[in-house]
Amino acid sequence: MSPAAASPEDRIRSYEDFARVHAYLLAASGIPPSLYQRLYRKLADEVFDGGEAFSVEPCEGGMQRRLVLGAERTLAMESDVFLVDHAWSFRLRCALKQLREVPGLAERMAALMCVDLDRRAELEEADEQENGKGGSLENALEVVEKERTRIQEKGSDFAAWLELEELGIDDDMLIALDLSSMFPNMVALNLWGNKLQDPERIMKGIGECRRLKALWLNENPALKEGVDKVILDGLPELEIYNSHFTRKAEEWALGFCGGIVGADNPCSLAESIPLENIVTLDLSDRCIHKLPEVFSPSKLSSLSNFNIRGNPLDQMPGDDLLKLFSGFTQLQELEVDIPGPLGNSAISILECLRNLSLLNGINVSSIMESGKHIVDSALKPRLPEWSPEESLAERVIGSMWLYLMTYRLADEEKIDETPVWYVMDELGSAMRHSDNANFRIAPFLFMPDGKLASAVSYTILWPIHDVHTGEECTRDFLFGIGEDKQRSARLTAWFHTPENYFIQEFREYKEQLQSSSICPLRKETLATKSVCPSDGRAVRVFTDIPQVEEFLTRPEFILTSDPKEADIIWISMQVDSELKNALGLTDQQYTNQFPFEACLVMKHHLAETIHKAWGSPEWLQPTYNLETHLSQLIGDYCVRKRDAMDNLWIMKPWNMARTIDTTVTGDLSAIIRLMETGPKICQKYIESPALFQGRKFDLRYIVLVRSICPLEIFLSDVFWVRLANNQYTLEKTSFFEYETHFTVMNYIGRMNHMNTPEFVKEFEKEHQVKWLEIHERIRDMIRCVFESATAVHPEMQNPFSRAMYGVDVMLDDKFSPKILEVTYCPDCTRACKYDTQALVGSQGVIRGSDFFNSVFGCLFLDELKDVSPL
């Protein structure tokens, strides 16, 4: 029964049930309590009335949409709540498969994300041609005739300005228009978005327009055919070409950007351009390397508002620019990249330009009070990019990070390990970002039956300020995230932030790593002693690990179910003070873990420990803790992109195993957005690994640690290979294929076990290498990893600690080892299940059933059977 059909008593009772069942969700969402009942009614009756209140409009040239409050409507703060449906919900690894297989999904998402514009344009063009309305000479002639008539009215000396944008003009049509003879005084010609292809034929059509000052050929096929040099050589008076300043740019170009030159006032002569009337001058994104000579305080005496963003200005020293700008005594507002051509510090700029009241839209007094060196209020949005050859599914994959939201399911017993990603419907996805948003959203799980199994996911939308007719409705993409959580850097997921700043951060970080290496020296170590009691009794072992219970069979050890009477505690849980108190443990019992071993077994701490000890060793891929070093990662990414280097990365949660929530991507927006599902490291992906029969693989080694200070460690002779199931490829669509890029198949996919000696023999044959040489390099690397802990964290040492760690290693295509991770209490099922043969040492047969006998013999009895010292 819906609320509308229920009696008042039933409605109250139903609402009370709703409020009770959803109490935690309501509180977590931030929805004002005054809207709870209204929300309940809309959820229960599935009321989607947002379409009556809002409208969706195209913006950014059709590459984005924005949400606007509808006509004759005002929404007071917290006066209403709206339901937003989820158009697509998925687990990340299923995204591409769903887009390919669910009928209509790719088409809807492509339209929502504005990545089907060319498809839509083709359909519209086909419709126009079918209806006789396609691009034709007649349409262009109509525009030409209007301009010719206008010039006749103005006088024959009046300069022509032709707007022939998106008229379907091809090379033959351009020549047929005969613009050179018809408009000998033409100063501006806009041919944006036509079908011009041949540079020589374009020049045949316009080459005699010798007084042309501005030409737009943007989005014509000819741009791919090297047309630029032909045009610039053939039209020597051009000051603006494809929206950029040429080396000839002077009065005319400045007048155009200052709004005093245009179709109504073409100003073909420089002396007729009153630069002194320019108050606002926007030179942003004009590819200016050097400002025109005419740009001076004497010529632009009224200049008050100046935008110079997005220009390299690399042919003018920063000090010279500051000196030049300081001469503009009327200059009040300045927009400039920081870091950029004026330097790296907003404070330094303001100290030189003392007349400014606004810098990058921010009040100067606020900047000086806050001491902020980087200020930016006008970031350009990242717009979707795709190539015509890509399928709609591939385009959606490349653009979805601008739109995705996420949540993770949980109940009383556990939290879901894999997050859910979703895209809001067309209304919700049209909401753009603002630091001063007027709406807020929150995901909400409605459970009609009061149980998680009946849950339906929505997003809730409500106004947090008064909103009026025609006003854009915005939300804060990073609500609740301040600079302490790297807000400015995280905005890079949606906006073009100042790359120079991040590159500088990266360079400083890189220099710091190179200079801070401890480089520990190897010293002679003192051997630990056997823990066997002097009276000859067996050592009592308490464990919760099935393989130890089954395979620790040697008489020197005996299992006990009482942890208080055990000599050795060998368990999978962390032995902290809480567990010690719960089990009645003492500090005189041996445990299978070292204090502070998180410096090795948590991925972000492992990288930090290695960095402190060794700087940036070749055996550790570039690694960034995204919770603290996002800016440095962005800088590294930008440098690689600029230099056309490999730019593929792997995101790994700090402390999750089995590649849970691990993603391979080359998309910077994806890297930043993936932070939302939990703290992660971002590590440079090994794009060219050594392969085995075309498949990716890694190696699991077992390291036994008796002591940290001094370091006393041993490498088990038992190691094993883990193979991916699919052939390795770097096709972008393959990054969603778990069995191509990941090797842990115990829990996902089909595991194909291969005995180590067989693998080594086949590998040596395939690559013509000697495994023992590779093995020595791996041994050295593993020793260095644990030396890092010794040097950086000597507090790990505990005489009552003995531990076994799994060390995962990958080889690159030069057969150099790379450390992947170190694992506490590794799963040794394979070591116990399969017999193998030692490749070093005795080279004898090692029985799987003896694995833990050898491990305990090494750690507690000072034996060296089936292990070798490192």
Side-chain angles (χ1 to χ4, degrees), residues 59-245:
C59 59
E60 299 293 341
M63 300 292 285
Q64 271 190 349
R65 293 189 173 95
R66 66 183 196 136
L67 192 68
V68 175
L69 189 63
E72 300 181 4
R73 179 146 189 170
T74 297
L75 274 177
M77 179 179 69
E78 299 181 357
S79 61
D80 206 347
V81 63
F82 300 90
L83 300 187
V84 176
D85 203 2
H86 292 176
W88 181 30
S89 298
F90 59 95
R91 311 281 182 172
L92 198 52
R93 286 175 181 162
C94 302
L96 185 60
K97 186 173 186 289
Q98 289 185 12
L99 287 167
R100 286 172 168 171
E101 296 179 0
V102 177
L105 178 61
E107 289 75 11
R108 182 181 181 186
M109 291 298 104
L112 183 151
M113 298 176 188
C114 304
V115 294
D116 64 344
L117 300 185
D118 57 334
R119 306 285 181 96
R120 279 189 266 164
E122 289 171 5
L123 292 173
E124 290 169 2
E125 184 176 336
D127 290 342
E128 287 176 351
Q129 290 176 352
E130 186 177 332
N131 297 322
K133 297 180 181 178
S136 67
L137 184 60
E138 288 76 15
N139 293 335
L141 283 172
E142 183 180 342
V143 177
V144 169
E145 182 59 29
K146 285 183 179 179
E147 182 65 10
R148 193 177 68 81
T149 301
R150 190 172 77 100
I151 289 176
Q152 287 177 345
E153 294 172 353
K154 296 281 188 179
S156 59
D157 291 336
F158 194 77
W161 189 299
L162 266 184
E163 297 283 350
L164 299 175
E165 184 177 358
E166 295 183 341
L167 289 176
I169 298 171
D170 59 22
D171 297 340
D172 292 336
M173 291 168 61
L174 181 64
I175 293 172
L177 288 173
D178 194 19
L179 299 179
S180 298
S181 60
M182 193 173 295
F183 302 107
N185 292 335
M186 182 161 57
V187 295
L189 176 58
N190 184 359
L191 290 166
W192 196 309
N194 283 290
K195 300 178 179 179
L196 302 171
Q197 298 191 48
D198 187 340
E200 299 298 335
R201 290 175 64 77
I202 293 172
M203 283 304 298
K204 185 176 180 181
I206 63 173
E208 294 305 315
C209 301
R210 310 298 290 180
R211 299 178 66 182
L212 202 60
K213 297 289 188 182
L215 174 64
W216 291 272
L217 291 176
N218 309 62
E219 297 181 17
N220 275 279
L223 295 181
K224 299 179 181 178
E225 305 299 327
V227 69
D228 294 356
K229 187 176 189 307
V230 174
I231 294 293
L232 293 173
D233 289 346
L235 298 170
E237 297 300 316
L238 271 186
E239 296 193 23
I240 293 178
Y241 173 59
N242 289 349
S243 307
H244 294 164
F245 274 25

Side-chain angles (χ1 to χ4, degrees), residues 25 44 125 219 257 317 322 391 419 480 498 504 614 728 730:
L25 291 170
E125 184 176 336
E219 297 181 17
C257 295
L322 284 169
S391 67
Q504 183 64 28
W614 296 100
Y728 183 70
L730 286 176

